[in-house]
Amino acid sequence: MLSVSEMMTDFNDYLLSVKKVSENTLLSYRRDINQFCEYVGSKLDRNLTDITRDDVCKFVKASKRKGKSPATISRSVASLRCFYNFMLTKGYVSDNPVTDIPVEKKEKKLPEILTSSEVDLLLEQPVADSLKGYRDRAMLEILYATGMRVTELISLDIDDVNMAAGLIRC
């Protein structure tokens, strides 16, 4: 049987080589699983391979009591689900105790809307006295007028703009 650190090393290798996760995702998964390991060691006195669905539910409740947000708890459960799926495929566990763990939905926040004076201030910021200033002002006006995303704007090509028809293809 592998130690926890050996399992984590194996899992990290899997995340990087197979799932191709970013460094931030890797750090988040590692942090979530380490917090779960601390909980298991201090509150349950169990091995990671002996965890039950009820144990995971207790961890979720403990996280809520600590004041963690639904988004944080949801991410932790997703990290644990991935970890135990990995452990299942490797044969370290016989089932995934995180498969059907209920989590609160993330609260959806409405976007903040700028006042008309804030919009005016924003659009006046780029001083249109150089090519760069004209470009910046045009970019802000396009973003404001169309609702286009910044990534969509910066990926536009000259062929996407039809000046005669007054159209931009996004």
Side-chain angles (χ1 to χ4, degrees):
M1 178 62 62
L2 294 177
S3 70
V4 173
S5 65
E6 290 171 321
M7 281 187 243
M8 288 300 294
T9 300
D10 207 7
F11 182 58
N12 287 346
D13 292 344
Y14 163 77
L15 289 174
L16 290 171
S17 62
V18 176
K19 290 199 74 155
K20 309 269 190 223
V21 300
S22 70
E23 187 65 29
N24 283 342
T25 301
L26 180 68
L27 292 173
S28 293
Y29 274 46
R30 199 178 307 163
R31 183 176 47 250
D32 293 338
I33 294 164
N34 284 337
Q35 288 173 355
F36 182 69
C37 288
E38 288 172 17
Y39 174 81
V40 167
S42 66
K43 302 286 186 195
L44 304 178
D45 194 30
R46 288 210 182 144
N47 190 322
L48 281 179
T49 56
D50 300 325
I51 296 301
T52 65
R53 181 183 189 283
D54 189 48
D55 296 332
V56 179
C57 288
K58 287 177 185 174
F59 172 72
V60 169
K61 287 178 185 173
S63 297
K64 285 180 189 175
R65 280 194 303 274
K66 285 184 176 179
K68 292 190 177 183
S69 74
T72 299
I73 294 170
S74 181
R75 192 204 61 232
S76 292
V77 170
S79 298
L80 290 171
R81 188 175 295 122
C82 181
F83 178 63
Y84 275 98
N85 277 337
F86 166 78
M87 300 239 304
L88 187 62
T89 60
K90 285 293 202 171
Y92 301 149
V93 294
S94 58
D95 68 331
N96 184 342
V98 194
T99 300
D100 295 320
I101 299 297
V103 290
E104 287 181 41
K105 297 286 183 192
K106 296 177 190 175
E107 57 187 63
K108 293 184 178 181
K109 297 178 184 173
L110 293 174
E112 292 184 29
I113 298 172
L114 298 176
T115 66
S116 57
S117 60
E118 289 172 326
V119 171
D120 291 339
L121 276 172
L122 178 66
L123 295 177
E124 290 172 8
Q125 288 307 308
V127 179
D129 62 358
S130 66
L131 290 176
K132 185 178 176 187
Y134 282 113
R135 181 208 60 199
D136 292 349
R137 180 168 283 176
M139 289 173 73
L140 281 174
E141 288 180 5
I142 288 170
L143 289 170
Y144 179 70
T146 65
M148 190 182 293
R149 294 181 175 101
V150 172
T151 54
E152 293 170 331
L153 177 68
I154 63 173
S155 65
L156 287 177
D157 203 355
I158 194 72
D159 297 332
D160 298 325
V161 180
N162 184 336
M163 294 295 279
L167 296 174
I168 297 175
R169 183 179 49 227
C170 173

